[in-house]
Amino acid sequence: MTIQVKFFASLKEQLQLADTEIEHAQTVEDVWNTVTDKADRPDNIIVAVNLEYAQFDSPVNTGDEVAFFPPVTGG
Amino acid sequence: MTIQVKFFASLKEQLQLADTEIEHAQTVEDVWNTVTDKADRPDNIIVAVNLEYAQFDSPVNTGDEVAFFPPVTGG
Amino acid sequence: MPSYIIEKPLDPWQAISEHQEKMQLDTQFGATATFVGTMRDFNDNSDVSAMTLEHYPAMTQHYLDKLIAEASEKWDLLDVLIIHRVGDILPSQAIMLIACWSAHRKASLDACSWLIEELKHRAPFWKKETRPDGDRWVAENTDGF
Amino acid sequence: MPSYIIEKPLDPWQAISEHQEKMQLDTQFGATATFVGTMRDFNDNSDVSAMTLEHYPAMTQHYLDKLIAEASEKWDLLDVLIIHRVGDILPSQAIMLIACWSAHRKASLDACSWLIEELKHRAPFWKKETRPDGDRWVAENTDGF
């Protein structure tokens, strides 16, 4: 079991990171630091864990899907 | 020139009066008293003069169209 | 920004679609809010098998046009369409439609809600329902709940 | 009360009409409120010639369904339909539609307005516009003005 990590829209282009997976993380912040090599976080970045909005201090477990994206602009 | 008088919907049925015309009136109240032979006015009766909502003390002139009707229920 | 009073059955979605196709503004509007009123087969806990809508033709047309003019002053609207039926109506048939087109969503949504309330309270239409115990004039419009 | 995410062009009025025809409730609803979002050929004072809508498929579907469930708890709704396009979109094409059916008008009007605001702020879609000076991600949703 791993943690799936996804990026969307402008954030994905800015970071130039592909979707990936990692082995271990305690929190969303750990995930961010691992996959971006501790890049600065844009102010308005949004995070979801298992399809629900979460915070950077939200816990993460193996098997989870963690997504990072900019403010939504649909509708 | 006369004053045209119209009734609509439930009010027309209650009063059993046809649309009519009268010669003289100073106010809407005069019109009502003339055409209904001073019948009691239902509480919620509405009046229009020349297609605009008016009051019983609104002035009336020859050539005007005066209408009496119950609360509107369209839409 | 037309309003129509009609006696024949109305397909509201087709009417909106046809009106929109004729608009010269099809790349300017970003938002369309609509409201369609449809006849139910019950009201106030009674079955209703048919309805007749009476109106005051000259005043009704005047009021629909006036409501559209007032809405256009209050909000930035690119177009408005109101169609209201009169005469005999059966359950599941559309009674009326309001459609508002604007660049941004708030104008069309707010204008549409405002127009239906104003129409209900100011446009001279009267509903008479056919119920199991006879015909009955609808006494008053509700608050919409 | 379905929601659909689609890639092909959408005729919103036909989609609402077809959904309504399949409803088994056609003599129970008295009110239908709809909102349709359409692509304009300008935004923030710039020409826009095309748009691409990216989304997060699993989460988007989850959120549209969640919004419908929440709306159904808040208001007495007989049916709700949401359709949202993704992928490449051209000016004058519909981007999304919301339709709410209820017995009385207030539920459908309030639910429709609430759903469009919630969708704009919570459903994971992202717009990228094609402008004369290149492609540009839309930074943030507006308040609808």
Side-chain angles (χ1 to χ4, degrees):
Chain A
M1 295 281 274
T2 57
I3 297 161
Q4 302 292 317
V5 187
K6 290 171 181 285
F7 303 93
F8 290 95
S10 57
L11 184 70
K12 184 174 192 132
E13 292 186 5
Q14 276 169 38
L15 296 172
Q16 296 190 285
L17 286 173
D19 293 350
T20 185
E21 55 186 50
I22 62 173
E23 297 287 328
H24 305 288
Q26 301 279 325
T27 66
V28 169
E29 186 155 24
D30 293 343
V31 175
W32 174 267
N33 287 333
T34 302
V35 297
T36 67
D37 200 16
K38 300 192 179 178
D40 287 344
R41 278 164 18 202
D43 279 349
N44 57 7
I45 194 171
I46 292 169
V47 61
V49 175
N50 297 333
L51 314 183
E52 294 288 349
Y53 289 106
Q55 307 296 326
F56 271 81
D57 59 4
S58 298
V60 172
N61 298 300
T62 54
D64 284 354
E65 177 169 305
V66 177
F68 299 99
F69 47 81
V72 304
T73 54
Chain B
M1 293 282 275
T2 57
I3 297 161
Q4 301 294 316
V5 186
K6 291 172 182 283
F7 303 93
F8 290 95
S10 57
L11 183 70
K12 183 174 193 133
E13 291 185 5
Q14 275 169 37
L15 296 173
Q16 296 190 286
L17 285 173
D19 293 348
T20 184
E21 54 186 50
I22 61 174
E23 297 287 328
H24 305 287
Q26 301 280 325
T27 65
V28 170
E29 186 155 24
D30 293 343
V31 176
W32 175 267
N33 286 333
T34 303
V35 297
T36 66
D37 201 17
K38 300 192 180 178
D40 287 342
R41 279 162 21 201
D43 280 346
N44 58 6
I45 195 170
I46 292 168
V47 61
V49 176
N50 297 334
L51 315 183
E52 294 288 349
Y53 288 106
Q55 308 296 325
F56 271 81
D57 59 5
S58 299
V60 172
N61 298 300
T62 54
D64 285 353
E65 176 170 305
V66 178
F68 299 99
F69 47 81
V72 304
T73 54
Chain C
M1 300 197 180
S3 69
Y4 303 101
I5 299 164
I6 64 170
E7 294 200 29
K8 288 185 183 168
L10 165 67
D11 180 333
W13 313 115
Q14 196 187 333
I16 295 167
S17 181
E18 283 175 9
H19 186 80
Q20 188 171 293
E21 273 172 32
K22 281 182 285 184
M23 287 166 62
Q24 302 298 308
L25 305 159
D26 64 334
T27 60
Q28 292 180 45
F29 66 83
T32 315
T34 79
F35 179 81
V36 176
T38 303
M39 191 189 158
R40 287 174 293 137
D41 61 4
F42 64 96
N43 194 19
D44 297 337
N45 298 317
S46 171
D47 290 341
V48 181
S49 59
M51 187 168 81
T52 304
L53 254 165
E54 184 175 332
H55 75 310
Y56 179 179
M59 185 171 172
T60 313
Q61 185 68 57
H62 170 64
Y63 257 79
L64 295 184
D65 293 339
K66 187 168 167 161
L67 291 178
I68 291 175
E70 285 181 34
S72 302
E73 276 181 32
K74 285 174 182 280
W75 292 280
D76 264 336
L77 298 171
L78 291 163
D79 207 349
V80 176
L81 173 67
I82 297 180
I83 304 180
H84 205 298
R85 281 191 69 187
V86 293
D88 297 330
I89 301 177
L90 295 171
S92 92
Q93 292 185 342
I95 301 168
M96 49 80 70
L97 75 83
I98 294 170
C100 298
W101 287 265
S102 59
H104 302 285
R105 70 187 180 280
K106 199 162 164 47
S108 63
L109 286 164
D110 289 355
C112 187
S113 294
W114 182 84
L115 280 166
I116 176 62
E117 291 306 317
E118 292 294 312
L119 190 155
K120 285 253 177 199
H121 292 105
R122 290 167 59 190
F125 295 100
W126 300 275
K127 289 175 178 165
K128 188 181 215 175
E129 294 176 342
T130 304
R131 296 177 174 221
D133 53 352
D135 289 359
R136 167 185 168 282
W137 287 100
V138 175
E140 225 165 51
N141 261 322
T142 62
D143 288 334
F145 293 103
Chain D
M1 300 197 179
S3 69
Y4 303 101
I5 300 165
I6 64 170
E7 294 199 28
K8 289 186 183 165
L10 164 68
D11 180 333
W13 314 115
Q14 196 185 334
I16 295 167
S17 181
E18 283 175 10
H19 185 80
Q20 188 172 293
E21 273 173 31
K22 282 183 286 186
M23 286 167 63
Q24 303 298 307
L25 305 159
D26 64 333
T27 60
Q28 292 181 44
F29 65 84
T32 314
T34 79
F35 179 82
V36 176
T38 304
M39 191 188 157
R40 288 172 294 138
D41 60 4
F42 65 96
N43 193 20
D44 297 335
N45 298 316
S46 171
D47 289 342
V48 182
S49 60
M51 187 169 80
T52 303
L53 254 165
E54 184 176 331
H55 74 310
Y56 179 178
M59 185 171 171
T60 312
Q61 186 68 57
H62 170 64
Y63 257 79
L64 295 184
D65 293 340
K66 187 167 167 162
L67 291 178
I68 291 176
E70 284 181 36
S72 302
E73 276 180 30
K74 285 174 182 281
W75 293 281
D76 264 335
L77 299 171
L78 291 163
D79 207 348
V80 177
L81 173 68
I82 297 180
I83 304 180
H84 206 297
R85 279 191 71 188
V86 293
D88 297 331
I89 301 177
L90 295 171
S92 91
Q93 292 186 341
I95 302 169
M96 48 80 68
L97 75 81
I98 295 170
C100 299
W101 287 265
S102 58
H104 302 284
R105 69 187 180 280
K106 199 161 165 44
S108 63
L109 286 163
D110 289 354
C112 187
S113 295
W114 182 85
L115 280 167
I116 176 62
E117 291 307 316
E118 291 294 311
L119 190 155
K120 285 255 177 198
H121 292 105
R122 290 168 59 191
F125 294 100
W126 300 275
K127 288 174 179 167
K128 188 183 216 174
E129 294 175 341
T130 303
R131 296 177 174 221
D133 53 351
D135 288 0
R136 168 185 168 284
W137 287 100
V138 176
E140 226 166 48
N141 261 324
T142 62
D143 288 335
F145 292 102

